[in-house]
Amino acid sequence: MFNPLTTPAKTEFNMAMLEFAITGAIFAAVAGVLIYTMIRYRRRRDDNGRQEPPQVYGSNQIEAAWTVIPILIVFVIAGVSARSVWGVEDASPPKNTMHVTVIGHQYWWEVRYPFYNIVTANEIHVPVSHDREHASYFELKSDDVIHSLWIPELGGKTDLIPNRVNHMWIDPSEPGIFWGSCTEFCGVQHANMLIQVVAQEPEDFNKWVAAQQQAQPVPTEISDGQKRFQMAGCWACHAVKGTRFNGKIGPDLTHLMSRRQIGSGVLDNTPANLQAWIVDPQQAKPGCLMPGSKLAGKNLDDLVAYLETLK
Ligand code: CUA
């Protein structure tokens, strides 16, 4: 959050720094006077304890000062806060804004691009916005309990609340991969509900979109791995576009291999990790909603081989 890369993040950062400076100055002044007084008027050896210091009653100047200055500070902070909140929450996105729907689940993120007909998980790809015209606009929803999305470099936290739609927008000024996480306790695997925002140059982003829009080709012959996918019941929760597998409960797997992580950020997406994950997801992510399977040997290899074709 100390490296803000979007307009909302910069607004929040500037506001936070201003308030930090004001409260820091107050702290320094109060603590300074306090420490000075403690040392200057400490008990001395020749102090018999009976002398009373001079008693001062009423001082118009001092009272005016400690009334007026705090009021001014409150007005400044209130004004700056109102302007910042207005800027961050500005809910009228420019025309070219890209819309993304982010849905919180226990314990992963569903990411949909309604205009591009893309469904993915745990990774939000957005174009770099060299001007505010190409901002990305998120609609935040929840499928179960309250979650909260926070990508520190890209802006403050916004909750995902059941039966409600919240919004946030980002316009990253440079490409990069930015980690975020769920910041509202949502269950046992709350801490492992990570997300990545991949900000790409517009041409790279367009390539990603084109690749994600592809359905998986209809095979002339069903592979052993596809049979396994069906017989093990993977399709009950997971969808693969272009096939009959259309589960809606878990992450869409159409382009699983394009993602860097599995399990919402707990494991790198490697064949060995996929295998371990399929056999016992509870090992890497105890309490996650995916059950383990009894697959082993060739059956497991076939299934992983099939998943690896989902580029
Ligand atoms: Cu989702 Cu915490």
Side-chain angles (χ1 to χ4, degrees), residues 105-107 109 145-148 182-187 189-191 193:
H105 295 266
Q106 283 172 316
Y107 306 97
W109 307 87
V145 298
I146 300 178
H147 306 271
S148 187
C182 181
T183 53
E184 181 78 43
F185 182 71
C186 53
Q189 278 300 322
H190 156 71
M193 189 168 161

Side-chain angles (χ1 to χ4, degrees), residues 74-84:
V74 166
F75 271 112
V76 168
I77 291 182
V80 171
S81 301
R83 204 181 58 185
S84 303

